[in-house]
Amino acid sequence: MKYSTKLLIANCIPILVFALISLTIGFMQFRSGLYDEKQGNLKSTALAAMALYSSRGYGDYGIKPDGNVWRGMNFNVSEETAIVDDLKEQTNIDVTFFLADKAIMTSIVDKEDARAVETNADYFIKNYTLAKGAQLWCRSIRINGRTCQAYVIPIRQESDNSIVGALMTSQSVDGFNQIIGRYIVITIITALLILGAAFVFIRWYVARFSAEFYDATNKSKHDLLTGLFNKRSFEEEVKNAIAAKKPGEVSVLLILDFDNFKHVNDNYGHQIGDEVLKAFALILGRAFRTKDIIGRIGGDEFMVYMPAMSADYLNRADEISKEILHELHILKVGTAEHFSCSIGIGTDAGNYDFQKLYKLADKALYESKERGKACYVRYSSDEKHD
């Protein structure tokens, strides 16, 4: 996996995790807040209904001979529909009046438009509101087959404050679920837009950072003047290539050292000297294969490693050396011309590591200088050398 891909994933995963956690917490808080708001609305409507019933008539609630529930002598609860219907019209919340556990008046109508209430909250109304006088908040109950939310408060007698019934306000959860659904959709769309923008920014930032990282890494591995591998990276590349060498392949290492380069700097200046070194790097780039490893080891010394060479093609190193010597001889930089270098070639068909191969090529280089420079010498690991 590429470094830039790893960096992109490493930056995106925490943001995605944070976004999921934030969305979850946000949804839970929104849902909790919505429940609190719904509970408050139902409770306030229940208290309003209780205040309206308390303001009508005088005395206690009771069943009269006509079978209806009256408050005192002048308010027939069983037939008074205005209170529950007006509240429903104003709040869209249903109101049901229970005497004991029997619904006496309700704004809820069935399919035939008859006022009727069937709820699975009877147990809680009996055992909590009627028995203990507790107010109830029901997040989810069934009323006439529909899932609803409800709030229940006790109805007390005026004379002794005893509990004789319950007042229930209720509303279908359909609207509640629609609000949550809209919230989820809007939140997800907003989150996706934000995450998309964040992803685009992170991708741009990672691409820019990766480019700078690769550029810095590339510069740290290459010689700034010639663009070739520097000494450390050259040795690392060669060691890896030697480790990957297959049986029957020959390792070839060339050390190329300019002859009298100090004379170039002293007579033509360091700027010309630098131009000569850059020109020499171009000559090496043209002379060798793309898979050959070329490096500037320091000053005016260069090295080239030729991997995956067969014994039949070892003479190619000699041919390349001749070409390089010829290219240097005809090279002209400014008024400077007629350059030369000494080349030492070390070859090994066995198990030489980099250090042994380097020592072999270095001996060959020393021999080429002893012969008068401007030449090459090749030593093989299967030969004996003084």
Side-chain angles (χ1 to χ4, degrees):
M1 186 180 293
K2 293 182 179 180
Y3 173 78
S4 58
T5 304
K6 291 181 179 179
L7 192 61
L8 183 62
I9 293 174
N11 279 274
C12 286
I13 287 179
I15 292 178
L16 287 173
V17 172
F18 176 77
L20 288 173
I21 293 174
S22 299
L23 285 173
T24 302
I25 294 174
F27 172 71
M28 292 175 64
Q29 290 180 336
F30 174 79
R31 194 164 180 262
S32 177
L34 200 60
Y35 272 126
D36 291 342
E37 181 182 358
K38 180 61 67 177
Q39 179 181 351
N41 291 338
L42 290 171
K43 181 178 180 180
S44 61
T45 303
L47 293 174
M50 191 73 256
L52 288 173
Y53 275 110
S54 298
S55 66
R56 302 290 179 92
Y58 302 94
D60 290 341
Y61 295 97
I63 301 177
K64 302 301 181 183
D66 60 4
N68 291 324
V69 175
W70 286 68
R71 184 170 187 228
M73 299 297 294
N74 59 343
F75 181 64
N76 188 345
V77 177
S78 301
E79 295 183 354
E80 181 59 54
T81 63
I83 293 177
V84 295
D85 290 344
D86 289 348
L87 282 173
K88 182 173 183 179
E89 184 177 351
Q90 295 171 19
T91 64
N92 197 33
I93 293 175
D94 284 304
V95 180
T96 303
F97 187 105
F98 291 90
L99 186 67
D101 59 350
K102 183 180 180 181
I104 302 302
M105 175 52 64
T106 183
S107 61
I108 300 173
V109 295
D110 58 19
K111 295 179 180 179
E112 285 75 30
D113 290 331
R115 298 177 189 269
V117 177
E118 293 183 3
T119 174
N120 61 353
D122 292 343
Y123 171 83
F124 297 101
I125 293 174
K126 288 180 182 178
N127 291 278
Y128 288 92
T129 303
L130 297 178
K132 300 178 181 179
Q135 296 187 12
L136 291 179
W137 157 236
C138 303
R139 288 191 175 188
S140 179
I141 64 172
R142 301 289 292 178
I143 298 177
N144 290 1
R146 298 179 66 186
T147 302
C148 299
Q149 294 162 335
Y151 199 88
V152 183
I153 61 175
I155 297 174
R156 298 178 181 273
Q157 294 288 31
E158 184 178 323
S159 60
D160 58 6
N161 205 38
S162 61
I163 300 171
V164 293
L167 195 66
M168 180 181 75
T169 51
S170 61
Q171 193 172 45
S172 171
V173 299
D174 293 342
F176 183 86
N177 291 336
Q178 288 175 4
I179 293 173
I180 291 180
R182 285 196 297 269
Y183 170 82
I184 292 174
V185 171
I186 293 172
T187 302
I188 290 176
I189 292 175
T190 303
L192 288 175
L193 291 174
I194 294 174
L195 287 174
F199 176 78
V200 171
F201 173 77
I202 292 172
R203 189 174 182 181
W204 168 81
Y205 177 80
V206 166
R208 179 180 176 183
F209 179 84
S210 298
E212 292 176 353
F213 174 80
Y214 287 131
D215 184 58
T217 302
N218 186 60
K219 287 180 179 178
S220 68
K221 294 178 65 176
H222 291 79
D223 173 57
L224 296 179
L225 179 65
T226 63
L228 303 177
F229 283 115
N230 56 32
K231 181 179 180 181
R232 185 180 66 179
S233 57
F234 175 82
E235 291 183 5
E236 289 176 355
E237 293 288 330
V238 173
K239 289 176 181 178
N240 292 334
I242 291 177
K245 187 173 72 170
K246 297 178 182 178
E249 293 180 345
V250 181
S251 295
V252 180
L253 181 68
L254 297 88
I255 303 177
L256 306 98
D257 190 50
F258 258 90
D259 297 328
N260 306 314
F261 191 73
K262 185 176 183 299
H263 171 78
V264 176
N265 283 330
D266 292 344
N267 288 275
Y268 300 102
H270 287 278
Q271 184 175 357
I272 293 296
D274 288 346
E275 292 300 321
V276 172
L277 292 176
K278 288 194 284 186
F280 185 55
L282 293 175
I283 291 173
L284 296 179
R286 292 194 300 266
F288 290 95
R289 302 170 300 177
T290 55
K291 65 180 178 180
D292 293 335
I293 304 168
I294 308 173
R296 181 189 178 198
I297 307 308
D300 57 353
E301 186 174 85
F302 295 76
M303 279 200 287
V304 181
Y305 178 76
M306 304 176 70
M309 290 288 288
S310 66
D312 296 335
Y313 287 92
L314 282 180
N315 289 335
R316 180 57 185 151
D318 296 10
E319 295 171 358
I320 291 175
S321 297
K322 292 177 183 178
E323 293 172 5
I324 291 172
L325 292 172
H326 173 70
E327 289 286 333
L328 273 178
H329 182 72
I330 63 174
L331 176 66
K332 185 174 182 180
V333 179
T335 57
E337 57 184 348
H338 302 309
F339 307 103
S340 67
C341 71
S342 300
I343 304 174
I345 308 171
T347 63
D348 170 57
N351 297 315
Y352 268 25
D353 59 14
F354 174 75
Q355 293 300 327
K356 288 183 178 180
L357 189 61
Y358 172 78
K359 289 179 180 178
L360 186 64
D362 192 50
K363 286 182 180 179
L365 176 65
Y366 180 80
E367 177 67 22
S368 69
K369 289 184 178 293
E370 287 291 309
R371 293 183 183 181
K373 304 179 180 180
C375 65
Y376 68 91
V377 173
R378 175 157 61 92
Y379 281 174
S380 174
S381 60
D382 58 3
E383 301 173 346
K384 291 185 178 181
H385 309 283
D386 296 332

